[in-house]
Amino acid sequence: MGAPYTVCNWALVLAYGSDRIAAAEDTANLTFAAVAVYLSPTAADVIAITQVANLFAAVLAFNSAISRYVFALARSGYAPSRFAAVHPTHGSPHRGSILQTASAVVLVVIFAIVGADPVLQLFT
């Protein structure tokens, strides 16, 4: 069975009809197209910009959580002790952040080499 319907799913069904959603080729932009038609193209642009800002915030939070997790593991002795150090000026677990960033870059490069989409193949 598919994902549960959310408010957005019902709004799209009301905007397009279930048969047109099922037949749509560009399902990624259905929400933006409906907003552009029923509100305004400017509203669709604002939502797109907000979505990018939210994605940036999520990536930043993920990086912060992983770096602090690595820091805690190192402090407890479950990871190399060099990751237990904090930045002398900012007090942040900068080495864990560098580790997380480097591992993300390596993972994205591997996916790029094999031609796979990291979002669709890794996170789903």
Side-chain angles (χ1 to χ4, degrees), residues 17-46:
S18 59
D19 55 336
R20 288 185 56 206
I21 289 178
E25 291 185 21
D26 187 17
T27 56
N29 291 317
L30 283 176
T31 303
F32 300 115
V35 169
V37 168
Y38 293 106
L39 291 177
S40 72
T42 303
D45 292 340
V46 168

Side-chain angles (χ1 to χ4, degrees), residues 111 116-124:
F111 272 81
D117 184 351
V119 173
L120 294 177
Q121 303 298 320
L122 182 64
F123 298 117
T124 58

Side-chain angles (χ1 to χ4, degrees), residues 23-90:
E25 291 185 21
D26 187 17
T27 56
N29 291 317
L30 283 176
T31 303
F32 300 115
V35 169
V37 168
Y38 293 106
L39 291 177
S40 72
T42 303
D45 292 340
V46 168
I47 290 173
I49 291 168
T50 304
Q51 184 178 17
V52 170
N54 288 337
L55 181 61
F56 177 76
V59 169
L60 185 62
F62 180 75
N63 181 285
S64 180
I66 295 297
S67 64
R68 282 163 172 61
Y69 188 69
V70 169
F71 172 75
L73 286 173
R75 225 177 33 181
S76 299
Y78 296 109
S81 61
R82 67 179 151 264
F83 293 115
V86 295
H87 193 275
T89 305
H90 305 292

